[in-house]
Amino acid sequence: MQLATERLIIRPILLDDAAAVFKYRCDKETNQYQGWIPETVDDVVTFIGKVAKQFNVPETWFQMVIVERESKNIIGDIGIHFLDDDQVEIGCTLDVNKQAKGYATEALRAAFNHLFKELGKHRITASIDPANTKSIALVQRLGFRKEAHFVESLWMNGVWVDDVVFAILKREWA
């Protein structure tokens, strides 16, 4: 499964992608709101080995990389958690040097179009730390609405953090 946009290719992650993914994923400051920050390339290899190998399988996470068409460089990734047959949770990580250029919006639009229009999903959610204002602005720009704010509900990086859930329905996307 591969998606294409004007500037991007979004494709399944491969073991050969480990070094490129590590390059932007190991940035502790930029990725401070992520639940996983690899310490070594081997951590990424282990991660890739654990993600689902098949797309659209309930109760699995499927990982895709965002590749810049022109340079052929991996600039980010999208995680898709297939909760059940009708709902998915989504997460996105983008290289700090590629942020604020519309790449995340472009990549997620392509993913959402596929999930809603091709796979007929009913609902997409995103779980975001309320301090992560850039990600909140991104999902709101894509039409998501805030559904819940859970106080100190997640243990991440040694502290309890809040979790804000945003969502969009298929009928809202259309």
Side-chain angles (χ1 to χ4, degrees):
M1 205 281 296
Q2 181 171 293
L3 305 172
T5 70
E6 182 181 333
R7 302 181 297 166
L8 305 170
I9 300 292
I10 300 110
R11 62 159 175 80
I13 197 167
L14 304 170
L15 277 175
D16 289 345
D17 300 329
V21 171
F22 177 73
K23 186 177 175 183
Y24 64 86
R25 274 278 190 163
C26 71
D27 181 344
K28 291 181 181 179
E29 184 178 336
T30 302
N31 299 321
Q32 65 184 311
Y33 303 113
Q34 297 282 349
W36 175 70
I37 300 173
E39 297 289 330
T40 66
V41 173
D42 285 341
D43 291 344
V44 180
V45 170
T46 299
F47 170 79
I48 294 169
K50 290 180 180 178
V51 296
K53 304 301 178 236
Q54 189 175 351
F55 193 74
N56 196 22
V57 176
E59 300 181 29
T60 65
W61 276 96
F62 191 87
Q63 204 72 21
M64 303 184 80
V65 290
I66 304 167
V67 180
E68 192 175 36
R69 270 185 190 247
E70 189 174 307
S71 70
K72 307 283 190 270
N73 292 330
I74 293 173
I75 61 169
D77 58 82
I78 298 173
I80 304 172
H81 183 194
F82 291 94
L83 299 166
D84 55 34
D85 288 330
D86 300 311
Q87 300 183 87
V88 300
E89 175 185 6
I90 198 133
C92 183
T93 304
L94 200 64
D95 185 310
V96 68
N97 299 310
K98 297 298 181 176
Q99 293 180 5
K101 298 177 187 335
Y103 288 118
T105 303
E106 188 175 327
L108 289 173
R109 269 198 185 112
F112 297 165
N113 279 334
H114 185 74
L115 291 166
F116 283 136
K117 295 177 180 176
E118 305 300 319
L119 298 181
K121 297 301 178 188
H122 171 68
R123 185 169 176 266
I124 299 173
T125 63
S127 173
I128 304 171
D129 186 307
N132 189 349
T133 56
K134 290 180 181 179
S135 289
I136 290 171
L138 171 64
V139 296
Q140 288 177 327
R141 188 167 49 254
L142 289 164
F144 280 59
R145 81 190 113 54
K146 181 178 173 180
E147 289 194 336
H149 184 141
F150 299 101
V151 178
E152 294 185 17
S153 61
L154 296 174
W155 181 256
M156 286 181 56
N157 305 318
V159 295
W160 285 102
V161 297
D162 289 9
D163 181 31
V164 180
V165 177
F166 289 83
I168 189 167
L169 299 174
K170 179 181 180 179
R171 65 178 162 78
E172 295 169 323
W173 182 251

